[in-house]
Amino acid sequence: QVQLVESGGGLVQAGGSLRLSCAASGRTFSSYGMGWFRQAPGKEREIVAAITWSGGNAYYADSVKGRFTISRDNAKNTVALQMNSLKPEDTAVYYCAAAVGFYLYTSFQGYNYWGQGTQVTVSS
């Protein structure tokens, strides 16, 4: 079992930055692939970024490439999402998720555990 708690959301102006963090419980954090998803009102949940257990490989949705960076610290059981050059269309609830396994998981179905989400609002 893994429990995930996100933090770092908030209100920011367009062009600004936010850093989301996700703290995971459990002793096997390093064996999980991790991902960040988001869900805007009236829209389906979509993947934003994912990272393998080692941090050696990462995936980004086209909409955030070059602006967002995912990273993890296995010693601290944390995964972060650095978001720069934020746009109003980035407004959503952002979720941290964990996938059992050693691959790069890029779909919703691959994830086993979810955090409760943190709101990110980007004003124009």
Side-chain angles (χ1 to χ4, degrees):
Q1 281 281 3
V2 175
Q3 291 187 327
L4 304 171
V5 179
E6 303 96 337
S7 61
L11 174 64
V12 64
Q13 289 188 332
S17 298
L18 280 175
R19 183 177 178 86
L20 304 183
S21 185
C22 174
S25 65
R27 296 176 294 175
T28 58
F29 176 75
S30 61
S31 64
Y32 290 93
M34 300 297 296
W36 285 97
F37 289 73
R38 67 186 181 188
Q39 188 166 19
K43 294 188 177 181
E44 293 186 351
R45 192 171 298 190
E46 63 175 359
I47 189 166
V48 175
I51 192 166
T52 53
W53 68 278
S54 66
N57 287 294
Y59 165 87
Y60 297 94
D62 288 343
S63 58
V64 306
K65 278 181 182 176
R67 300 188 297 123
F68 291 11
T69 302
I70 188 171
S71 61
R72 67 186 296 163
D73 185 336
N74 287 342
K76 296 182 178 179
N77 283 14
T78 59
V79 61
L81 185 69
Q82 178 66 43
M83 305 186 295
N84 298 328
S85 302
L86 283 161
K87 304 175 181 180
E89 51 263 43
D90 295 318
T91 295
V93 177
Y94 282 71
Y95 297 90
C96 174
V100 178
F102 297 98
Y103 300 105
L104 187 62
Y105 299 93
T106 60
S107 67
F108 176 87
Q109 291 81 2
Y111 287 82
N112 307 96
Y113 304 101
W114 294 83
Q116 293 189 338
T118 185
Q119 176 70 47
V120 171
T121 303
V122 184
S123 63
S124 57

